[in-house]
Amino acid sequence: MFVFILLSYFTFSRLLSFESTLTNVSETSLPHIIKINQLYTQAATLLESTDILSQSSSNASKRLAKKQLQSNLLNTRKAAKEIFKNEFLDTQLNTIAVELDEFSELIDERQKTRDNIELLRGQLYELNEQVVSIKDDTSANWSLIFSQAIVNVGKALNENKLQQVRFLFKQLKHQLNNIYDDKSAGIEQQITSKLEGLLFGESGLEVLKIQSLRLAGRTIGKANFVQSLIQDYVTQLGFVTNQTEQRITQQVSSSVVETQEQTQLIGLILIGGVVFLFIISFVFQQRVLKRISIFNQIVLTKAQGNEYQAQLYGNDEITDLAKTFKEFTQTIELQKEKLEHLSMSDGLTGIANRRALDIRLQHDIKLAMREKYSVSVLLMDIDNFKLFNDNYGHSAGDKCLKDISKIISEALHRESDFVARYGGEEFICVLPRTSIEGAQELAIHIINKLKAEALPHHYSDVAKYVTLSIGIKTTSANESTTSELLIKQADHALYAAKKAGKNRYSLYA
């Protein structure tokens, strides 16, 4: 009886200790890890919300984006307070909130400027209709020059380069002087004076357009800065998550060691027992100790980073603990995979994003330089995509981006070929071990596929369907280069293709 009681004591105490350890893991540590991962995901959504706000082009979309951004920030702050108190992370989050407020104000100012431009543009159109209604033959030359001036105003408002805008408005001022030279007194003089006021007044189109371009540049800079702050915050959360995982792993490993020592002691007690006790102990060992040993091996194997093959079946506490531990490990792996996928893929198109491109391109360049083979880069830009968005809407624009990414992905036939979304309407292909001829063949193939798909774009000045302009840069076998230089050279080739008439490719010379 003494041996039996001693055996029961050691076994039961070990079970209680092990159950306490796993209960702590399942009821405290596991929920804590899940909450941290949820906070990690919530913080990552701030990046997407910031990008949506920076791309808003109307008051309605801006209000929705601001509402979503504030909601995400509030949820992130709430989740952070529930999980831990970290002065450094709180300071980072407060900094992000301040920068987001400034960013939102910058977006409001940019939208207000755009609205003022559209208001003055409408007044220009009214002036133009008034000019058209004048049927005096003596005003024919004046009407022609006036209409040409209105057309040039449209060109200046559609230009996105500050220097070019100033040049176009300077030409407009000279053209207005010609109107003054040619016009006769009367209504022509009144209309010309109104036009001059709309263009060059204190709040005229010239001032508003220059202000709009400057605000656009500041918006991009502020968006990049805010996104960098959020990425730093997400990185710190990842570090905290890893620390928590290591603490749990150490806790489980310590429990495994203690269980192994107790198992050995129980074995010694069994050897010194009586025959009757041996029989009872044998049954007990089969039903309890053996299954504990299997579970110990499962925990130890997983703690070492390996996959375990053993399985536990039954309807008792040991099986429940094994199921809890399995769910715990699976949840951690799923969270890691999900976060890794979110950080490396584009949220809209599903293909690789800029971060994944940087990693892949640096790897391919280093490998090409070491093994002496060429790498080709195709930088692609959708022609007249702004007109597509303005006339078909942003939902159609998003669908167009998805269709284009699918067409490009299907055009790549090798597993080593890589495609990523480089910017708003820009895509990039990295083709290791590909010559100039091979890169040209792929570019022609993509252009032909777009022609075959014929995605409608009736507002394009190239064709009635969506087209791409492609810049190609191919390194030589012995060429030493960097990813930044390679993309810059491909961008020069893309600019040449745009300048040559779009819907074509151009090689970097």
Side-chain angles (χ1 to χ4, degrees):
M1 288 298 296
F2 173 76
V3 173
F4 177 79
I5 292 173
L6 191 61
L7 174 63
S8 300
Y9 168 77
F10 278 110
T11 304
F12 187 71
S13 63
R14 186 61 258 160
L15 283 174
L16 287 179
S17 177
F18 202 74
E19 182 180 10
S20 175
T21 300
L22 268 297
T23 300
N24 181 61
V25 170
S26 62
E27 294 182 358
T28 304
S29 301
L30 177 59
H32 188 71
I33 285 290
I34 293 175
K35 286 182 178 180
I36 290 180
N37 284 318
Q38 289 174 347
L39 175 59
Y40 194 97
T41 304
Q42 187 67 43
T45 59
L46 285 174
L47 291 172
E48 181 181 353
S49 300
T50 304
D51 188 56
I52 293 175
L53 180 58
S54 66
Q55 296 178 6
S56 61
S57 59
S58 64
N59 288 322
S61 62
K62 180 191 67 178
R63 286 195 298 271
L64 290 176
K66 288 176 63 176
K67 184 177 180 181
Q68 181 179 357
L69 183 61
Q70 292 298 328
S71 177
N72 289 339
L73 183 61
L74 180 63
N75 292 335
T76 302
R77 191 186 295 276
K78 181 179 179 182
K81 289 183 178 180
E82 292 178 353
I83 297 173
F84 48 74
K85 294 182 179 180
N86 188 307
E87 184 175 351
F88 177 74
L89 290 178
D90 290 340
T91 302
Q92 276 192 309
L93 196 58
N94 291 333
T95 302
I96 291 172
V98 171
E99 292 297 330
L100 284 175
D101 289 339
E102 294 180 3
F103 179 65
S104 180
E105 292 174 0
L106 199 58
I107 293 295
D108 290 338
E109 188 177 354
R110 183 187 69 177
Q111 187 60 43
K112 182 179 179 181
T113 303
R114 289 178 176 176
D115 292 340
N116 290 336
I117 290 175
E118 291 304 317
L119 180 62
L120 294 182
R121 192 198 293 263
Q123 295 180 17
L124 282 178
Y125 292 154
E126 292 176 1
L127 279 180
N128 190 46
E129 292 177 358
Q130 190 174 355
V131 170
V132 173
S133 65
I134 298 175
K135 299 182 179 180
D136 186 2
D137 293 337
T138 61
S139 303
N141 185 45
W142 171 81
S143 299
L144 179 61
I145 297 176
F146 189 94
S147 299
Q148 290 175 347
I150 294 296
V151 172
N152 292 333
V153 171
K155 291 181 180 179
L157 293 179
N158 291 330
E159 180 61 45
N160 292 323
K161 294 183 179 179
L162 183 59
Q163 198 65 25
Q164 186 66 16
V165 168
R166 286 175 171 168
F167 174 76
L168 291 174
F169 273 102
K170 184 177 181 180
Q171 286 186 327
L172 278 169
K173 185 171 291 186
H174 179 71
Q175 193 170 9
L176 285 181
N177 291 333
N178 291 337
I179 294 179
Y180 273 115
D181 293 337
D182 297 335
K183 72 182 188 309
S184 59
I187 189 170
E188 292 90 348
Q189 181 177 2
Q190 296 176 6
I191 294 176
T192 304
S193 298
K194 288 182 180 179
L195 176 61
E196 187 175 24
L198 290 175
L199 293 179
F200 305 107
E202 291 184 359
S203 299
L205 283 172
E206 181 182 19
V207 174
L208 291 177
K209 181 59 180 179
I210 293 174
Q211 183 181 359
S212 175
L213 292 178
R214 289 174 175 169
L215 287 173
R218 290 172 58 194
T219 301
I220 294 173
K222 179 66 73 172
N224 292 335
F225 178 68
V226 171
Q227 289 179 350
S228 297
L229 288 177
I230 296 173
Q231 288 173 349
D232 290 341
Y233 183 77
V234 172
T235 301
Q236 290 295 327
L237 289 179
F239 177 74
V240 173
T241 303
N242 289 334
Q243 286 184 325
T244 304
E245 292 175 356
Q246 291 175 2
R247 186 174 65 252
I248 294 173
T249 301
Q250 293 174 356
Q251 181 181 1
V252 174
S253 299
S254 175
S255 178
V256 168
V257 173
E258 292 177 4
T259 302
Q260 289 176 340
E261 294 175 353
Q262 291 292 337
T263 303
Q264 294 176 358
L265 182 59
I266 292 174
L268 293 176
I269 297 175
L270 282 173
I271 296 174
V274 294
V275 175
F276 179 74
L277 183 58
F278 176 80
I279 297 174
I280 295 177
S281 299
F282 177 78
V283 176
F284 192 77
Q285 192 268 346
Q286 291 295 318
R287 291 293 302 165
V288 178
L289 299 182
K290 185 176 180 180
R291 302 178 76 238
I292 291 179
S293 180
I294 293 174
F295 187 70
N296 288 339
Q297 188 62 38
I298 291 174
V299 175
L300 182 60
T301 302
K302 193 62 180 179
Q304 294 173 349
N306 301 321
E307 294 295 328
Y308 54 86
Q309 301 296 328
Q311 297 291 334
L312 286 174
Y313 302 95
N315 187 23
D316 55 13
E317 291 82 357
I318 299 175
T319 305
D320 293 340
L321 292 175
K323 290 180 179 178
T324 301
F325 183 76
K326 183 178 180 180
E327 293 174 357
F328 166 74
T329 57
Q330 289 176 345
T331 301
I332 295 299
E333 294 298 326
L334 287 174
Q335 290 288 345
K336 286 184 177 180
E337 292 176 2
K338 183 177 179 180
L339 291 174
E340 182 67 21
H341 177 72
L342 286 174
S343 66
M344 299 295 285
S345 63
D346 179 60
L348 176 64
T349 62
I351 61 177
N353 61 10
R354 182 72 174 269
R355 179 186 174 193
L357 168 67
D358 293 339
I359 296 172
R360 174 60 182 270
L361 188 53
Q362 289 179 6
H363 170 268
D364 284 348
I365 290 175
K366 290 179 180 178
L367 191 61
M369 292 171 62
R370 185 170 63 248
E371 298 185 6
K372 306 297 182 183
Y373 62 77
S374 60
V375 176
S376 292
V377 170
L378 274 67
L379 185 59
M380 295 161 280
D381 183 80
I382 302 176
D383 297 327
N384 301 299
F385 188 71
K386 184 179 184 303
L387 292 175
F388 188 98
N389 265 340
D390 292 342
N391 291 280
Y392 293 101
H394 287 280
S395 296
D398 290 345
K399 184 178 184 304
C400 177
L401 290 174
K402 293 177 182 178
D403 293 337
I404 294 295
S405 66
K406 181 179 179 182
I407 291 172
I408 297 173
S409 299
E410 292 175 350
L412 304 180
H413 301 298
R414 301 184 306 177
E415 292 183 357
S416 60
D417 294 339
F418 178 81
V419 61
R421 185 179 179 190
Y422 184 69
E425 64 268 17
E426 291 183 322
F427 299 87
I428 189 168
C429 287
V430 181
L431 311 173
R433 301 183 186 275
T434 302
S435 63
I436 295 178
E437 292 76 14
Q440 292 181 83
E441 290 179 3
L442 179 60
I444 294 172
H445 180 53
I446 292 174
I447 291 173
N448 290 336
K449 281 181 68 69
L450 280 174
K451 183 176 182 180
E453 292 290 337
L455 303 175
H457 189 355
H458 296 290
Y459 300 92
S460 173
D461 60 359
V462 182
K464 295 303 180 182
Y465 59 89
V466 177
T467 60
L468 279 177
S469 295
I470 303 174
I472 301 175
K473 166 59 182 174
T474 301
T475 65
S476 61
N478 297 315
E479 183 176 352
S480 177
T481 186
T482 64
S483 58
E484 293 82 5
L485 178 59
L486 196 57
I487 293 176
K488 184 178 180 180
Q489 291 171 338
D491 187 63
H492 281 301
L494 174 60
Y495 177 77
K498 289 282 189 181
K499 190 174 181 181
K502 306 175 183 177
N503 192 25
R504 65 192 65 222
Y505 71 88
S506 177
L507 301 175
Y508 175 78

